[in-house]
Short mmCIF file of all heavy atoms in Angstrom, two decimals:
data_model
loop_
_atom_site.label_atom_id
_atom_site.label_comp_id
_atom_site.label_asym_id
_atom_site.label_seq_id
_atom_site.Cartn_x
_atom_site.Cartn_y
_atom_site.Cartn_z
N GLY C 367 3.75 21.06 47.96
CA GLY C 367 4.58 21.66 49.03
C GLY C 367 5.55 22.61 48.43
O GLY C 367 5.27 23.48 47.61
N THR C 368 6.78 22.47 48.90
CA THR C 368 7.93 23.32 48.44
C THR C 368 8.34 22.89 47.06
O THR C 368 8.82 21.77 46.89
CB THR C 368 9.07 23.33 49.38
OG1 THR C 368 8.65 23.73 50.62
CG2 THR C 368 10.18 24.26 48.93
N ALA C 369 8.20 23.70 46.01
CA ALA C 369 8.48 23.37 44.70
C ALA C 369 9.98 23.25 44.45
O ALA C 369 10.74 24.13 44.90
CB ALA C 369 7.82 24.28 43.68
N THR C 370 10.40 22.25 43.67
CA THR C 370 11.78 22.16 43.24
C THR C 370 12.09 23.30 42.25
O THR C 370 11.29 23.60 41.40
CB THR C 370 12.04 20.79 42.57
OG1 THR C 370 11.68 19.80 43.60
CG2 THR C 370 13.49 20.67 42.29
N PRO C 371 13.26 23.98 42.38
CA PRO C 371 13.46 25.10 41.52
C PRO C 371 13.35 24.77 40.03
O PRO C 371 13.00 25.59 39.23
CB PRO C 371 14.89 25.49 41.87
CG PRO C 371 15.12 25.02 43.23
CD PRO C 371 14.29 23.77 43.30
N THR C 372 13.64 23.52 39.62
CA THR C 372 13.59 23.14 38.19
C THR C 372 12.27 22.62 37.76
O THR C 372 12.07 22.37 36.60
CB THR C 372 14.65 22.16 37.89
OG1 THR C 372 14.44 20.97 38.67
CG2 THR C 372 16.08 22.63 38.18
N ALA C 373 11.30 22.47 38.66
CA ALA C 373 10.02 21.86 38.30
C ALA C 373 9.24 22.91 37.51
O ALA C 373 9.23 24.13 37.77
CB ALA C 373 9.18 21.53 39.55
N THR C 374 8.55 22.43 36.44
CA THR C 374 7.73 23.29 35.64
C THR C 374 6.30 23.33 36.24
O THR C 374 5.66 22.27 36.26
CB THR C 374 7.72 22.82 34.16
OG1 THR C 374 9.03 22.79 33.69
CG2 THR C 374 6.86 23.74 33.25
N PRO C 375 5.78 24.43 36.64
CA PRO C 375 4.43 24.47 37.23
C PRO C 375 3.40 24.14 36.15
O PRO C 375 3.55 24.53 35.02
CB PRO C 375 4.28 25.90 37.79
CG PRO C 375 5.26 26.66 36.93
CD PRO C 375 6.36 25.75 36.64
N THR C 376 2.34 23.51 36.58
CA THR C 376 1.23 23.25 35.61
C THR C 376 0.31 24.39 35.57
O THR C 376 0.51 25.35 36.26
CB THR C 376 0.42 21.98 36.13
OG1 THR C 376 -0.05 22.24 37.43
CG2 THR C 376 1.36 20.75 36.16
N ALA C 377 -0.66 24.29 34.65
CA ALA C 377 -1.49 25.47 34.41
C ALA C 377 -2.19 25.96 35.67
O ALA C 377 -2.37 27.11 35.90
CB ALA C 377 -2.46 25.17 33.28
N ARG C 378 -2.81 24.99 36.40
CA ARG C 378 -3.59 25.41 37.55
C ARG C 378 -2.79 26.18 38.62
O ARG C 378 -3.26 27.24 39.07
CB ARG C 378 -4.32 24.21 38.14
CG ARG C 378 -5.29 24.62 39.18
CD ARG C 378 -6.16 23.43 39.61
NE ARG C 378 -6.97 23.03 38.50
CZ ARG C 378 -7.81 21.92 38.48
NH1 ARG C 378 -7.84 21.16 39.53
NH2 ARG C 378 -8.53 21.76 37.47
N PRO C 379 -1.61 25.67 39.09
CA PRO C 379 -0.85 26.50 40.05
C PRO C 379 -0.54 27.85 39.51
O PRO C 379 -0.48 28.80 40.25
CB PRO C 379 0.37 25.66 40.31
CG PRO C 379 -0.04 24.26 40.02
CD PRO C 379 -1.00 24.35 38.93
N ILE C 380 -0.23 27.96 38.21
CA ILE C 380 0.13 29.27 37.65
C ILE C 380 -1.09 30.19 37.79
O ILE C 380 -0.98 31.34 38.24
CB ILE C 380 0.53 29.17 36.18
CG1 ILE C 380 1.91 28.49 36.06
CG2 ILE C 380 0.57 30.52 35.50
CD1 ILE C 380 2.35 28.21 34.65
N LEU C 381 -2.24 29.66 37.58
CA LEU C 381 -3.46 30.49 37.68
C LEU C 381 -3.65 30.91 39.16
O LEU C 381 -4.04 32.01 39.44
CB LEU C 381 -4.69 29.73 37.24
CG LEU C 381 -4.72 29.51 35.67
CD1 LEU C 381 -5.91 28.65 35.30
CD2 LEU C 381 -4.76 30.78 34.96
N ARG C 382 -3.37 29.99 40.12
CA ARG C 382 -3.50 30.39 41.54
C ARG C 382 -2.53 31.40 41.91
O ARG C 382 -2.87 32.39 42.58
CB ARG C 382 -3.31 29.15 42.37
CG ARG C 382 -4.50 28.17 42.33
CD ARG C 382 -4.44 27.26 43.57
NE ARG C 382 -3.30 26.45 43.57
CZ ARG C 382 -3.20 25.23 43.08
NH1 ARG C 382 -4.28 24.67 42.55
NH2 ARG C 382 -2.12 24.55 43.13
N GLU C 383 -1.25 31.34 41.46
CA GLU C 383 -0.31 32.37 41.75
C GLU C 383 -0.70 33.68 41.16
O GLU C 383 -0.55 34.75 41.73
CB GLU C 383 1.09 31.93 41.24
CG GLU C 383 1.69 30.77 42.00
CD GLU C 383 2.94 30.29 41.39
OE1 GLU C 383 3.44 31.00 40.48
OE2 GLU C 383 3.49 29.26 41.78
N MET C 384 -1.19 33.67 39.95
CA MET C 384 -1.65 34.92 39.30
C MET C 384 -2.81 35.54 40.10
O MET C 384 -2.86 36.73 40.30
CB MET C 384 -2.08 34.66 37.86
CG MET C 384 -0.91 34.30 36.94
SD MET C 384 -1.45 33.90 35.27
CE MET C 384 -2.17 35.46 34.80
N SER C 385 -3.71 34.67 40.57
CA SER C 385 -4.79 35.21 41.34
C SER C 385 -4.38 35.84 42.65
O SER C 385 -4.78 36.92 43.05
CB SER C 385 -5.84 34.07 41.65
OG SER C 385 -6.34 33.53 40.45
N ALA C 386 -3.36 35.20 43.34
CA ALA C 386 -2.85 35.71 44.57
C ALA C 386 -2.13 37.09 44.35
O ALA C 386 -2.33 38.02 45.09
CB ALA C 386 -1.87 34.74 45.25
N ALA C 387 -1.36 37.12 43.25
CA ALA C 387 -0.68 38.33 42.91
C ALA C 387 -1.68 39.50 42.65
O ALA C 387 -1.54 40.57 43.00
CB ALA C 387 0.26 38.18 41.69
N THR C 388 -2.80 39.08 41.97
CA THR C 388 -3.80 40.06 41.65
C THR C 388 -4.42 40.58 42.94
O THR C 388 -4.68 41.76 43.08
CB THR C 388 -4.89 39.41 40.79
OG1 THR C 388 -4.29 38.91 39.60
CG2 THR C 388 -5.97 40.40 40.36
N TYR C 389 -4.70 39.69 43.90
CA TYR C 389 -5.22 40.14 45.22
C TYR C 389 -4.26 41.08 45.87
O TYR C 389 -4.68 42.08 46.52
CB TYR C 389 -5.58 38.94 46.05
CG TYR C 389 -6.61 38.06 45.53
CD1 TYR C 389 -6.66 36.68 45.79
CD2 TYR C 389 -7.65 38.58 44.73
CE1 TYR C 389 -7.60 35.86 45.24
CE2 TYR C 389 -8.60 37.76 44.10
CZ TYR C 389 -8.59 36.42 44.41
OH TYR C 389 -9.57 35.60 43.89
N ARG C 390 -2.94 40.75 45.88
CA ARG C 390 -1.98 41.62 46.57
C ARG C 390 -1.97 43.02 45.98
O ARG C 390 -1.99 44.03 46.61
CB ARG C 390 -0.61 41.02 46.56
CG ARG C 390 -0.44 39.75 47.47
CD ARG C 390 1.03 39.42 47.65
NE ARG C 390 1.63 39.02 46.36
CZ ARG C 390 1.65 37.79 45.99
NH1 ARG C 390 1.12 36.83 46.72
NH2 ARG C 390 2.26 37.45 44.83
N VAL C 391 -1.96 43.06 44.62
CA VAL C 391 -1.96 44.36 43.93
C VAL C 391 -3.23 45.09 44.22
O VAL C 391 -3.23 46.31 44.47
CB VAL C 391 -1.82 44.17 42.39
CG1 VAL C 391 -1.98 45.46 41.70
CG2 VAL C 391 -0.41 43.58 42.09
N SER C 392 -4.41 44.41 44.27
CA SER C 392 -5.67 45.04 44.56
C SER C 392 -5.67 45.62 45.97
O SER C 392 -6.14 46.76 46.23
CB SER C 392 -6.80 44.06 44.43
OG SER C 392 -6.84 43.54 43.13
N GLY C 393 -5.06 44.88 46.93
CA GLY C 393 -4.98 45.48 48.31
C GLY C 393 -4.15 46.69 48.39
O GLY C 393 -4.53 47.66 49.10
N ILE C 394 -3.03 46.77 47.67
CA ILE C 394 -2.24 47.93 47.67
C ILE C 394 -2.97 49.17 47.11
O ILE C 394 -2.93 50.24 47.61
CB ILE C 394 -0.95 47.70 46.92
CG1 ILE C 394 -0.07 46.63 47.66
CG2 ILE C 394 -0.16 48.99 46.72
CD1 ILE C 394 1.11 46.19 46.92
N ILE C 395 -3.72 48.87 45.97
CA ILE C 395 -4.46 49.97 45.36
C ILE C 395 -5.50 50.52 46.29
O ILE C 395 -5.75 51.71 46.47
CB ILE C 395 -5.09 49.48 44.07
CG1 ILE C 395 -4.01 49.12 43.03
CG2 ILE C 395 -6.11 50.45 43.46
CD1 ILE C 395 -4.49 48.52 41.82
N VAL C 396 -6.22 49.61 47.00
CA VAL C 396 -7.29 50.03 48.00
C VAL C 396 -6.67 50.89 49.08
O VAL C 396 -7.20 51.95 49.49
CB VAL C 396 -7.96 48.82 48.55
CG1 VAL C 396 -8.87 49.25 49.71
CG2 VAL C 396 -8.82 48.14 47.48
N ALA C 397 -5.46 50.44 49.59
CA ALA C 397 -4.80 51.25 50.66
C ALA C 397 -4.41 52.62 50.18
O ALA C 397 -4.55 53.64 50.89
CB ALA C 397 -3.55 50.43 51.17
N VAL C 398 -3.87 52.68 48.96
CA VAL C 398 -3.43 54.01 48.42
C VAL C 398 -4.70 54.91 48.24
O VAL C 398 -4.67 56.09 48.57
CB VAL C 398 -2.72 53.81 47.10
CG1 VAL C 398 -2.47 55.11 46.41
CG2 VAL C 398 -1.41 53.12 47.38
N LEU C 399 -5.77 54.32 47.73
CA LEU C 399 -7.00 55.16 47.56
C LEU C 399 -7.57 55.64 48.93
O LEU C 399 -8.06 56.74 49.04
CB LEU C 399 -8.04 54.31 46.86
CG LEU C 399 -7.79 53.98 45.34
CD1 LEU C 399 -8.85 53.07 44.79
CD2 LEU C 399 -7.69 55.30 44.59
N ALA C 400 -7.40 54.81 49.96
CA ALA C 400 -7.90 55.19 51.29
C ALA C 400 -7.14 56.45 51.81
O ALA C 400 -7.69 57.23 52.63
CB ALA C 400 -7.77 54.02 52.26
N LEU C 401 -5.88 56.60 51.42
CA LEU C 401 -5.07 57.77 51.87
C LEU C 401 -5.41 58.95 50.94
O LEU C 401 -5.45 60.12 51.41
CB LEU C 401 -3.62 57.45 51.81
CG LEU C 401 -3.12 56.38 52.87
CD1 LEU C 401 -1.68 56.07 52.62
CD2 LEU C 401 -3.32 56.91 54.25
#
Side-chain angles (χ1 to χ4, degrees):
T368 303
T370 305
T372 58
T374 302
T376 59
R378 185 169 294 174
I380 289 175
L381 291 176
R382 286 201 297 267
E383 290 175 8
M384 290 176 62
S385 299
T388 303
Y389 296 151
R390 288 196 295 271
V391 173
S392 300
I394 294 172
I395 293 174
V396 171
V398 172
L399 291 176
L401 293 175

